[in-house]
Amino acid sequence: MSVNKEGRVMKKSQSLFLVLFLALGGLFFGSPLLTKNRTSNAAMVMDLLNPFVKNSTVYIKTTNEFISTYKSQGSDEENYVYETNSFTEKGNNRTLKYISFEKKLTPNKFLKVTTKGQDVRRWEEIEKSEVPEKALKKLEEK
């Protein structure tokens, strides 16, 4: 009789493990669908921590419109927070939030941005000629 109880406990444990495994798998694989084009800190952190979200490159044309500013700790310099549309080399649109530390960006410049989902890893100013054709076409339409 105790063998039967142990067997049921083992089956319940295996079922619970399978459910948890599938739930975590669904979270990791499904979270990019939930976080895409979301500019919240939670979306950025989820993508940063998700091992299945890969780095990608998008392109941005700067504007003088920032959404907020804040001072750096230990400095009186302002940081500028921007939220804008970006485009992949294939011309696919993505909304991103990024920060320019201690300087306001010059409008109508082009940025090459490396992201991990919604988390902006780094960006650099590039020449217009370095922007892929399909991304440039979309950026020029804005």
Side-chain angles (χ1 to χ4, degrees):
M1 189 170 209
S2 66
V3 172
N4 196 12
K5 283 184 178 180
E6 288 176 6
R8 283 187 289 192
V9 170
M10 183 66 97
K11 279 187 175 184
K12 284 183 180 181
S13 296
Q14 288 173 342
S15 296
L16 180 62
F17 177 76
L18 181 62
V19 167
L20 288 174
F21 180 76
L22 291 174
L24 284 174
L27 178 67
F28 281 135
F29 286 110
S31 71
L33 298 174
L34 298 173
T35 60
K36 186 175 182 180
N37 293 326
R38 306 276 188 239
T39 58
S40 69
N41 288 338
M44 291 177 209
V45 170
M46 284 178 66
D47 285 345
L48 179 63
L49 296 176
N50 189 336
F52 297 105
V53 175
K54 303 297 179 205
N55 286 348
S56 62
T57 301
V58 294
Y59 299 88
I60 292 173
K61 185 175 181 182
T62 61
T63 69
N64 58 1
E65 298 173 24
F66 52 90
I67 60 170
S68 64
T69 63
Y70 65 93
K71 292 196 183 286
S72 295
Q73 274 187 326
S75 171
D76 286 335
E77 298 293 327
E78 291 284 332
N79 297 315
Y80 296 86
V81 181
Y82 296 86
E83 186 173 300
T84 188
N85 287 323
S86 65
F87 296 92
T88 65
E89 66 180 28
K90 294 180 181 179
N92 297 328
N93 181 29
R94 248 181 68 211
T95 303
L96 285 179
K97 183 170 30 172
Y98 64 101
I99 301 169
S100 174
F101 294 100
E102 301 182 356
K103 72 174 187 171
K104 194 174 179 181
L105 294 176
T106 305
N108 298 314
K109 300 290 183 178
F110 294 93
L111 303 180
K112 178 180 179 181
V113 182
T114 302
T115 68
K116 185 173 190 285
Q118 290 302 107
D119 182 57
V120 173
R121 309 297 293 155
R122 67 181 166 276
W123 56 263
E124 64 178 305
E125 189 174 315
I126 60 173
E127 296 297 321
K128 182 177 180 178
S129 61
E130 297 176 73
V131 179
E133 185 178 326
K134 289 180 181 178
L136 182 61
K137 182 179 178 185
K138 295 286 187 171
L139 290 168
E140 294 288 296
E141 290 174 1
K142 287 186 4 171

